[in-house]
């Protein structure tokens, strides 16, 4: 067994499959576990996904938000055990895979550029409805 195949076998035990499918341009809320002293709490970070780096187990995504007039970006590893959940707040329709140009735009210009993707939002609602019906039957 070569080194790459061995790494995949070991990494597959720790890979997460519970994260929803999201793309650049989507607004997400990431519930991240933060440790302060001897206590830990869950902190939400809500913003626009500007980049997804796909690199097997080392995949990550970058979320950007504007807090009190200052832009804040945070990089989250996809397979981090510190991520409690990723919730999709709004689907966005972007024409690029990496949205670095958003850093120079105002909030109003961002809303204009990243329209709501109603088609994917409708698909999400249908899936949620089917899951709810399946849960009631079973």
């Amino acid at each position: 067994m070569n080194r790459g195949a061995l790494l995949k076998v070991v990494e597959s035990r720790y890979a997460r499959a519970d994260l929803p499918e999201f793309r650049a341009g989507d607004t997400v809320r990431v519930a991240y576990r933060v440790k302060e002293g001897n206590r830990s709490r869950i902190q939400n970070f809500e913003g626009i996904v500007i980049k997804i780096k796909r690199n097997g187990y080392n995949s990550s995504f970058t979320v950007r938000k504007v807090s009190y007039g200052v832009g804040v970006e945070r990089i989250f590893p996809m397979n981090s055990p510190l991520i409690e959940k990723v919730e999709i707040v709004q689907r966005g329709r972007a024409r690029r895979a990496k949205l670095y140009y958003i850093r120079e735009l105002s909030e109003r210009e961002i809303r204009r550029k990243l329209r709501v993707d109603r088609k994917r939002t409708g698909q999400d609602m249908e899936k949620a409805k089917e899951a709810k019906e399946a849960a009631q039957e079973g």
Side-chain angles (χ1 to χ4, degrees), residues 15-70:
R16 294 179 66 141
D18 61 335
L19 296 180
E21 287 292 322
F22 55 89
R23 298 184 199 164
D26 292 350
T27 303
V28 296
R29 183 178 301 125
V30 182
Y32 198 73
R33 182 169 293 147
V34 178
K35 190 165 186 166
E36 295 173 338
N38 57 357
R39 299 182 319 128
S40 70
R41 64 182 178 87
I42 295 174
Q43 183 177 27
N44 288 329
F45 190 90
E46 184 175 333
I48 298 171
V49 177
I50 64 167
K51 173 176 106 170
I52 298 177
K53 178 184 143 204
R54 302 202 189 274
N55 190 12
Y57 182 75
N58 297 322
S59 297
S60 63
F61 59 99
T62 304
V63 180
R64 178 181 175 82
K65 74 174 181 177
V66 177
S67 180
Y68 298 103
V70 179

Side-chain angles (χ1 to χ4, degrees), residues 16-22 61 77-80 83-86:
R16 294 179 66 141
D18 61 335
L19 296 180
E21 287 292 322
F22 55 89
F61 59 99
M78 286 268 198
N79 295 304
S80 173
I83 294 178
E84 285 293 312
K85 67 178 178 178
V86 176

Side-chain angles (χ1 to χ4, degrees), residues 87-101:
E87 186 179 334
I88 298 170
V89 177
Q90 183 179 12
R91 296 283 190 177
R93 191 174 66 208
R95 295 172 58 142
R96 298 183 187 186
K98 307 285 193 262
L99 305 179
Y100 299 129
Y101 67 91

